[in-house]
Amino acid sequence: AFNLLGYCRLVSKKKGWSDDPEVCTERLLFAKEGITWTPYRLWNQIFSDEVWAMGGAHTTSHVTVKKDGSDRYAPHNLTHKYSKSHAWMFHGTIVRGKKGPGVFWEKEWGNMDSAKYDNFILSNIQELIEANPEMIYMHDGASSHRSQITARNLRRRRIPIIQWPRYSPDLNLIEHIWNWMKNWIQQHYWQVRYNVKSISLDWLRAIITEAWNAVPDSYIESLFHSWWRRCQAVIDANGGPTKY
């Protein structure tokens, strides 16, 4: 019946998105600038993000949409992305088509704040940029990232940054790395999916490290090559959500 009416079932996209017109304008303006970047400019952009790693199935949900795709990215067909229970936080970076510094957030460090972000994350970024002065750092709008303390620490460490638009995971190339790693873990460690209680934190850390190391450079390069398509998709959506 759905098929006869022109509908089908597809995976519901889980994205951090906003209906705020100001956010859409912010994303649109950024995409119009980003689409003009040269390959050299993009190649030296450091993309970064944190992810909470935990056991359990990396599941997907589905929605009923029109087969012509006209309502695929309508707000009512998107699922908001909510944080799950904490297990272990990992901060990663990619630049020049390869993995950059990656850091496990150790349990004894406690919650991330501006001072700890500076000590354990920005210190590594500073070393990377000192060796490659043409690189530019990107981070999202997490509270520890946008504080005045972090702004001062970035200046002190002479880390150039790009002003990142809010609610724009589709433009952050490293976001797809997390999905790749989760899929890889499910394929190689059935216990993580079906027998979560059997996974100790030390073993989970080892598994995550193995998954991070397994991400091929060819895949990361393909993400960099998708940059201009992503920017065009944001422009076509007038700053709204995209398939990325």
Side-chain angles (χ1 to χ4, degrees):
F2 280 140
N3 184 61
L4 290 174
L5 292 172
Y7 288 86
C8 61
R9 297 283 286 174
L10 294 176
V11 173
S12 174
K13 299 292 186 178
K14 296 181 180 179
K15 294 179 177 292
W17 56 278
S18 172
D19 298 324
D20 188 338
E22 291 186 3
V23 172
C24 292
T25 299
E26 187 177 318
R27 282 168 45 78
L28 179 60
L29 292 175
F30 180 86
K32 287 182 175 179
E33 176 191 348
I35 203 170
T36 68
W37 287 2
T38 65
Y40 180 82
R41 169 65 183 85
L42 175 65
W43 205 241
N44 287 291
Q45 180 64 57
I46 304 171
F47 293 91
S48 76
D49 193 27
E50 298 99 9
V51 63
W52 279 103
M54 63 205 70
H58 181 213
T59 56
T60 56
S61 57
H62 293 75
V63 291
T64 301
V65 297
K66 294 179 180 179
K67 289 194 293 184
D68 63 8
S70 59
D71 64 345
R72 181 69 177 96
Y73 298 101
H76 60 272
N77 284 329
L78 298 176
T79 302
H80 279 283
K81 186 176 181 181
Y82 298 100
S83 298
K84 298 181 180 178
S85 58
H86 296 169
W88 210 312
M89 191 171 73
F90 180 78
H91 181 278
T93 59
I94 56 173
V95 62
R96 293 182 176 175
K98 298 180 179 180
K99 293 183 286 289
V103 177
F104 274 96
W105 195 260
E106 303 294 350
K107 297 300 182 182
E108 59 267 25
W109 296 349
N111 295 329
M112 180 183 287
D113 57 24
S114 300
K116 295 172 185 175
Y117 181 62
D118 178 59
N119 288 337
F120 303 121
I121 304 297
L122 294 185
S123 57
N124 292 328
I125 302 302
Q126 179 182 4
E127 291 183 7
L128 178 62
I129 290 180
E130 285 178 348
N132 305 275
E134 61 276 24
M135 290 183 178
I136 301 173
Y137 185 53
M138 164 268 154
H139 57 188
D140 60 23
S143 58
S144 60
H145 300 174
R146 65 175 186 267
S147 71
Q148 293 183 358
I149 296 175
T150 293
R152 290 196 295 269
N153 288 332
L154 288 167
R155 291 193 294 269
R156 173 176 56 82
R157 293 186 181 275
R158 298 181 180 178
I159 298 175
I161 64 168
I162 186 171
Q163 294 301 315
W164 194 251
R166 293 170 290 170
Y167 296 99
S168 297
D170 50 350
L171 291 172
N172 190 354
L173 302 184
I174 201 172
E175 288 281 352
H176 284 269
I177 300 294
W178 307 142
N179 285 330
W180 190 99
M181 290 172 61
K182 291 173 183 177
N183 289 333
W184 186 93
I185 290 171
Q186 282 196 170
Q187 292 171 5
H188 292 80
Y189 291 95
W190 66 267
Q191 298 95 330
V192 177
R193 180 172 184 175
Y194 297 111
N195 193 9
V196 178
K197 293 182 179 179
S198 70
I199 306 297
S200 67
L201 283 177
D202 288 341
W203 190 17
L204 180 61
R205 176 178 179 144
I207 292 172
I208 296 166
T209 301
E210 188 177 353
W212 172 251
N213 292 335
V215 179
D217 288 346
S218 59
Y219 179 68
I220 301 176
E221 288 177 8
S222 72
L223 294 176
F224 274 80
H225 292 317
S226 73
W227 172 254
W228 296 277
R229 296 195 301 273
R230 293 166 183 267
C231 290
Q232 186 61 57
V234 173
I235 294 171
D236 293 341
N238 200 33
T242 71
K243 68 177 183 179
Y244 297 99

